[in-house]
Amino acid sequence: MFTSTDSIDIIIPSFRLDEQFLLPLIRLPKPGGWQVNYYIVADNPGVKPGATLLQMAREGVIQLIINTKNIGPGETRNKGIDAGNGSWILFLDDDIVADEDLLFQYVKVIGEKKEAIGFIGLTDFPAPENSFTRALTVAGLTSIFTIANKKDQFIWGVTANIMYKRSALGDLRFSPELSAIGGGEDVDLGARLSMQHHTQFTCVKEARVTHPWWNYGQPHYDRFTRYGAGMALLLSRFKQFSWYAFPNPIEGMLLALLSAPLFFIYLSWQKWLILLVAIPLIDMVINYIRASGMGYKDLSVGYYMTLIRCSNEWGQLKTLLQRGQLHYFMKRINIDFTRPRHFRTNRWRIIKLVIYIILLAVLIY
């Protein structure tokens, strides 16, 4: 097997094996003098590879691995890591469209920064096309994908487009626990690697791919629930980077439910119901104001932002409750892994707090 230091293993986990996206990635122009190996790992025992992929596998253009059972994206990437031995490992998603010079841009930066532990490429999204995708943008769900546009270095990057140095990675692998829930494994591995080597990934905005809108841009929430579950697990793994915050809407509704007996005794169930309904409505109003500030004045943007956020918060709270980790209630994690203050706030949290105080005052008096 090729063992030159000038070699890249491209690992693409896939469930669908959609040739529409995979074939252009396999056929990307290759830099001269570099060995590029493809590991397409299907996490779907029942998948039927297309004729072209099967031919490429027979001819040795790619290595096609089909898992005997579904093991999750992180463990699937681990299979690809262990199957290859290239000096650099490039992770790509199976539904992205890469710029033609993607590999050239990575090779260029490797030549300039051979000691780097890895490189974070730019993962762009198309322009928002409806209220839901505008909500994703305003809510910041795409910001980590485009971190290469904002930073020169960062501690982790999404696996849609990121390169690891194999010698730096060593025996580190994606966490099976995080992979099982499908959220947070990219954060975890990148952070552990950066902390181990006391450095960060270099951002390369020129190494660009475009990611389609999830679910064709249509409303969906299971993905963000999984992300929230991943954040819950990261809290216990990196508790030194956690901090307390005001209750989010899901936590606030749980507190309102727990306080129901006091309302029924001292006030009324009608006032308690007003408080319960007001919690997500107040958040929706704040989200609409935020969206309006970015030029999106459609009321539905605030509505979708609230549902996206609540699905994420529910994933985190549900996971903490299932694990019996109630001491992380109202805790957050800094995903840039800077050491936070014990309590953080911002103008939006302060505005919501003032509204809550006024509402409670009205209900009590």
Side-chain angles (χ1 to χ4, degrees), residues 16-53:
R16 300 167 292 270
L17 290 183
D18 189 340
E19 291 187 346
Q20 172 189 352
F21 292 101
L22 291 175
L23 295 183
L25 294 177
I26 296 168
R27 292 166 176 162
L28 280 172
K30 313 295 190 293
W34 281 76
Q35 176 75 24
V36 179
N37 311 298
Y38 282 88
Y39 298 88
I40 313 297
V41 191
D43 193 27
N44 177 3
V47 73
K48 302 296 182 185
T52 305
L53 281 179

Side-chain angles (χ1 to χ4, degrees), residues 213-248:
W213 290 111
W214 301 294
N215 197 40
Y216 305 101
Q218 298 307 303
H220 64 290
Y221 305 99
D222 59 318
R223 174 181 299 275
F224 313 112
T225 302
R226 296 198 308 271
Y227 288 174
M231 289 299 108
L233 297 185
L234 291 171
L235 271 171
S236 58
R237 288 168 176 255
F238 301 100
K239 54 189 174 185
Q240 69 271 36
F241 300 104
S242 64
W243 48 279
Y244 284 99
F246 293 124
N248 58 43

Side-chain angles (χ1 to χ4, degrees), residues 274-288:
I274 290 171
L275 175 64
L276 188 65
V277 172
I279 290 172
L281 288 180
I282 290 171
D283 204 72
M284 202 174 299
V285 170
I286 296 296
N287 286 330
Y288 173 70

Side-chain angles (χ1 to χ4, degrees), residues 272-331:
W272 172 82
L273 186 59
I274 290 171
L275 175 64
L276 188 65
V277 172
I279 290 172
L281 288 180
I282 290 171
D283 204 72
M284 202 174 299
V285 170
I286 296 296
N287 286 330
Y288 173 70
I289 294 171
R290 289 177 58 192
S292 296
M294 294 182 65
Y296 303 132
K297 300 186 183 298
D298 187 343
L299 284 171
S300 60
V301 176
Y303 166 77
Y304 284 127
M305 282 178 67
T306 303
L307 290 183
I308 291 167
R309 179 178 177 186
C310 286
S311 64
N312 183 271
E313 293 161 356
W314 167 241
Q316 178 169 323
L317 178 60
K318 179 179 67 172
T319 303
L320 293 176
L321 291 174
Q322 289 172 340
R323 294 167 63 90
Q325 295 179 322
L326 297 181
H327 53 291
Y328 290 116
F329 186 73
M330 290 174 53
K331 270 203 164 186

